[in-house]
């Protein structure tokens, strides 16, 4: 076992969830070796062609990652591990929402042809019309719509992609959404919480409602607060100074002040720590993939490893 490879305990947790065979009656290459190869690349950020020989042909490793990113296998594995943790009470449902900008390498540009239509399970890609606060969602792997469709945009950081996520109280990602780097945080809030869905190990619907939600001033809009009240979710979100002045200037028509517990708000740092864990993987901290759905698979795999090792 090499540095960063799956341990025996981690492999035992994953093995039963993996696909049993290949397509059209074929046979997969050894799952553990291939997954370790993908992990090596996600951890180090090397080019696929530079994978060590102990992982087998690099084409096999890359194609497996691309396939499992498109058909939702990585997302399914993450969901199963989350479900097992929730069954033993291992998830802290005080959820924090935040985002981070990832610099895209110059090689991430240039995707020309639209990929074949596939269903996209788990996670979400933000494409649609250009703008600072786009909320359109693609129903299949993005492609054929330029940089916006591949979640690439121009922001202060340059050529970037933004990762929006919700993290539990133990700094582990519960939900992931990708958008171009110049998209706003607030309009993606509902999409992020809609991605939170942890299946039950027995009967019953998946759990989708946190006990409490923390977010910073980027999410302080009335629309966000109405959404949380409608779902019956308690929240701690600070109010911007301009909103406070506007409410006071309106007098009785401005409504009641929003409740804010500054002591409890200190727990919001869990999402920042979850982002730091994700960016410990070099292929997450810098985007090299041209296709958004493959990069989403890379981020999902990094989140899966965080869950396995926490």
């Amino acid at each position: 076992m090499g540095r960063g490879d799956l341990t025996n305990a981690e492999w035992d947790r994953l093995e039963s969830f993996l696909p049993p065979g290949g397509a059209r009656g074929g046979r997969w290459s050894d799952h553990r070796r291939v997954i370790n190869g993908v992990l090596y690349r996600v951890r180090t950020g090397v080019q696929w062609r530079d994978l060590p020989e102990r992982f087998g042909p690099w084409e096999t490793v890359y194609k497996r990652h691309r396939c499992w990113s498109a058909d939702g296998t990585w997302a399914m594995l993450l969901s199963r591990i989350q479900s097992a943790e929730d069954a033993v009470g291992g998830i802290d449902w005080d959820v924090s929402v935040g985002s981070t900008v990832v610099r895209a390498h110059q090689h991430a540009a240039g995707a020309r042809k639209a990929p074949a239509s596939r269903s996209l399970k788990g996670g979400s890609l933000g494409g649609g019309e250009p703008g600072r606060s786009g909320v359109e969602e693609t129903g299949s792997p993005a492609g054929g719509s330029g940089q916006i469709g591949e979640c690439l945009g121009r922001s202060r950081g340059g050529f970037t992609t933004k990762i929006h996520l919700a993290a539990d109280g133990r700094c582990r990602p519960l939900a992931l959404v990708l958008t171009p780097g110049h998209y706003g945080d607030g309009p993606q809030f509902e999409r992020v919480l809609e991605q939170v869905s942890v299946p039950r190990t027995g009967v019953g619907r998946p759990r989708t409602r946190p006990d409490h939600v923390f977010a910073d001033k980027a999410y302080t809009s009335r629309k966000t607060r109405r959404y949380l009240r409608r779902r019956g979710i308690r929240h701690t979100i600070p109010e911007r100074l301009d909103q406070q002045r506007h409410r006071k200037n309106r007098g009785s028509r401005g409504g009641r002040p929003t409740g804010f517990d500054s002591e409890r708000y200190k727990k919001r740092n869990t999402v920042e720590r979850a982002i730091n864990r994700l960016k410990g993987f070099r292929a997450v901290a810098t985007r090299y993939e041209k296709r958004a759905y493959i990069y989403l698979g890379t981020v999902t795999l990094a989140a899966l490893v965080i869950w396995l090792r926490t």
Side-chain angles (χ1 to χ4, degrees), residues 220 239-249:
T220 188
E239 190 178 26
R240 295 199 306 265
L241 293 178
D242 62 328
Q243 291 179 322
Q244 294 178 16
R245 288 195 300 267
H246 181 65
R247 174 173 47 78
K248 292 178 180 177
N249 290 337

Side-chain angles (χ1 to χ4, degrees), residues 18-41:
L18 294 171
R24 297 183 181 179
R27 185 175 181 179
W28 292 108
S29 298
D30 180 65
H31 279 316
R32 187 169 184 176
R33 183 176 69 170
V34 173
I35 292 176
N36 283 333
V38 180
L39 279 179
Y40 181 89
R41 189 264 173 181

Side-chain angles (χ1 to χ4, degrees), residues 295-306:
Y295 181 63
L296 179 60
T298 298
V299 180
T300 302
L301 176 58
L304 172 63
V305 175
I306 291 173

Side-chain angles (χ1 to χ4, degrees), residues 100-134:
T100 183
V101 173
V102 174
R103 186 67 182 265
H105 193 271
Q106 60 184 0
H107 293 165
R112 294 184 178 88
K113 298 180 180 178
S117 177
R118 305 181 183 92
S119 61
L120 183 65
K121 304 173 184 177
S124 180
L125 303 179
E129 297 298 325
R132 294 189 59 83
S133 303

Side-chain angles (χ1 to χ4, degrees), residues 11-257:
W11 173 248
D12 290 340
R13 297 180 65 185
L14 281 181
E15 187 176 14
S16 61
F17 304 137
L18 294 171
R24 297 183 181 179
R27 185 175 181 179
W28 292 108
S29 298
D30 180 65
H31 279 316
R32 187 169 184 176
R33 183 176 69 170
V34 173
I35 292 176
N36 283 333
V38 180
L39 279 179
Y40 181 89
R41 189 264 173 181
V42 172
R43 181 173 59 85
T44 62
V46 300
Q47 295 187 11
W48 289 103
R49 293 175 182 269
D50 294 332
L51 283 176
E53 294 182 358
R54 66 187 179 94
F55 300 120
W58 71 266
E59 297 95 334
T60 300
V61 181
Y62 166 69
K63 289 179 180 178
R64 186 78 56 84
H65 177 55
R66 183 182 65 184
C67 176
W68 284 4
S69 298
D71 65 13
T73 299
W74 293 130
M76 177 272 294
L77 294 174
L78 177 60
S79 179
R80 295 290 182 88
I81 295 301
Q82 290 174 347
S83 177
E85 281 288 304
D86 190 44
V88 297
I91 296 181
D92 183 346
W93 283 96
D94 284 350
V95 173
S96 298
V97 178
S99 69
T100 183
V101 173
V102 174
R103 186 67 182 265
H105 193 271
Q106 60 184 0
H107 293 165
R112 294 184 178 88
K113 298 180 180 178
S117 177
R118 305 181 183 92
S119 61
L120 183 65
K121 304 173 184 177
S124 180
L125 303 179
E129 297 298 325
R132 294 189 59 83
S133 303
V135 295
E136 295 292 333
E137 180 177 354
T138 58
S140 60
S145 55
Q147 293 181 2
I148 297 298
E150 297 298 347
C151 297
L152 293 168
R154 299 284 179 177
S155 66
R156 291 182 179 180
F159 193 44
T160 54
T161 293
K162 184 174 284 189
I163 303 174
H164 306 262
L165 71 155
D168 80 332
R170 297 181 63 188
C171 309
R172 298 173 298 187
L174 281 169
L176 299 164
V177 171
L178 296 187
T179 66
H182 61 279
Y183 277 23
D185 292 351
Q188 312 304 324
F189 181 83
E190 294 184 22
R191 294 180 56 210
V192 173
L193 283 192
E194 293 296 330
Q195 291 293 323
V196 176
S197 180
V198 178
R200 310 284 185 177
T201 54
V203 297
R205 299 177 181 178
R207 175 160 184 177
T208 60
R209 189 171 67 177
D211 292 334
H212 202 98
V213 168
F214 302 90
D216 61 20
K217 293 181 180 180
Y219 304 91
T220 188
S221 67
R222 292 184 178 181
K223 180 181 178 182
T224 296
R225 296 181 188 274
R226 283 197 301 266
Y227 170 77
L228 291 170
R229 286 195 296 268
R230 186 171 68 249
R231 292 192 58 186
I233 300 175
R234 293 176 296 172
H235 56 277
T236 301
I237 304 175
E239 190 178 26
R240 295 199 306 265
L241 293 178
D242 62 328
Q243 291 179 322
Q244 294 178 16
R245 288 195 300 267
H246 181 65
R247 174 173 47 78
K248 292 178 180 177
N249 290 337
R250 296 188 65 188
S252 59
R253 295 178 300 169
R256 294 177 298 177

